[in-house]
Amino acid sequence: MIEQIRTRFGRLDVLILNASGGLEHGAAPDYAMAINRDAQVRLVRLALPLLAPGSRIVFVTSHQAHFHGRKPTPPDYEPIARSKRAGEDALRAMIGEFDSRGIGFTVVSGDMIEGTIIVRLLERRDPDAVAARTEHGALPTIDEFATAIADATTADTAPGYTVYIGGADYLATVADPAT
């Protein structure tokens, strides 16, 4: 894919990292980490030569992953939360390199998103986990979340800034919006 982008366009202006996996039945024990951390870091490394100054990387995550270790996580979502947090941490460790190349880096963190496969899979495994989220208000829609991601590709924010969508209860104790 990276070679095709290089050949066809010569550069990459925006890289959105939105992989998520780990609830699939029968997946290998390391599958969530391979998808949510390792593959995303690898893709960034491969894409860096194509990302010119002024380009942007957007890492998409969930509040359950972003706040992993600080807020409760539904047990069935734990492998995803742990591995997505590891992916976010690995990319945040690269902010100095992104900054030196003039590449922006933004995280978009959302509550459970209404209508997504993760919510449907979680409803099958642990309906109480989804119900617990809706006690705090309606879940954000796909359109609301997509708009936040699109906006993050052009917003003038500090490196590593985090955009939050939904989940007011998660955000009640957030002191630093960049973490």
Side-chain angles (χ1 to χ4, degrees):
M1 176 181 76
I2 294 295
E3 191 52 42
Q4 288 177 354
I5 292 168
R6 181 187 334 276
T7 301
R8 186 162 181 194
F9 303 105
R11 71 174 201 264
L12 184 60
D13 297 322
V14 175
L15 177 61
I16 297 175
L17 302 166
N18 191 30
S20 184
L23 286 180
E24 297 79 1
H25 185 65
D30 63 343
Y31 177 72
M33 200 63 76
I35 292 294
N36 300 325
R37 182 196 60 198
D38 303 342
Q40 296 197 53
V41 170
R42 181 174 183 269
L43 180 56
V44 167
R45 289 267 176 230
L46 292 171
L48 276 175
L50 297 179
L51 292 163
S55 60
R56 179 68 58 114
I57 298 170
V58 178
F59 180 76
V60 179
T61 192
S62 66
H63 290 346
Q64 293 83 4
H66 179 74
F67 292 103
H68 184 260
R70 296 184 280 169
K71 297 281 187 170
T73 303
D76 285 332
Y77 193 76
E78 178 64 29
I80 295 174
R82 184 179 340 101
S83 60
K84 287 286 285 187
R85 183 67 225 192
E88 181 178 340
D89 290 344
L91 292 169
R92 284 186 181 281
M94 297 172 71
I95 287 175
E97 183 175 0
F98 300 154
D99 201 37
S100 72
R101 293 172 176 253
I103 299 168
F105 175 69
T106 303
V107 173
V108 177
S109 178
D111 199 352
M112 290 182 184
I113 307 300
E114 183 66 44
T116 61
I117 188 66
I118 292 294
V119 171
R120 288 193 300 263
L121 289 172
L122 203 51
E123 280 178 323
R124 288 182 203 156
R125 290 178 149 192
D126 187 1
D128 292 339
V130 176
R133 296 304 318 133
T134 59
E135 288 177 12
H136 302 283
L139 297 179
T141 67
I142 292 170
D143 286 345
E144 290 167 333
F145 199 51
T147 297
I149 294 166
D151 289 349
T153 67
T154 58
D156 186 20
T157 58
Y161 182 79
T162 302
V163 175
Y164 297 102
I165 304 300
D169 59 312
Y170 277 96
L171 308 180
T173 59
V174 174
D176 180 4
T179 61

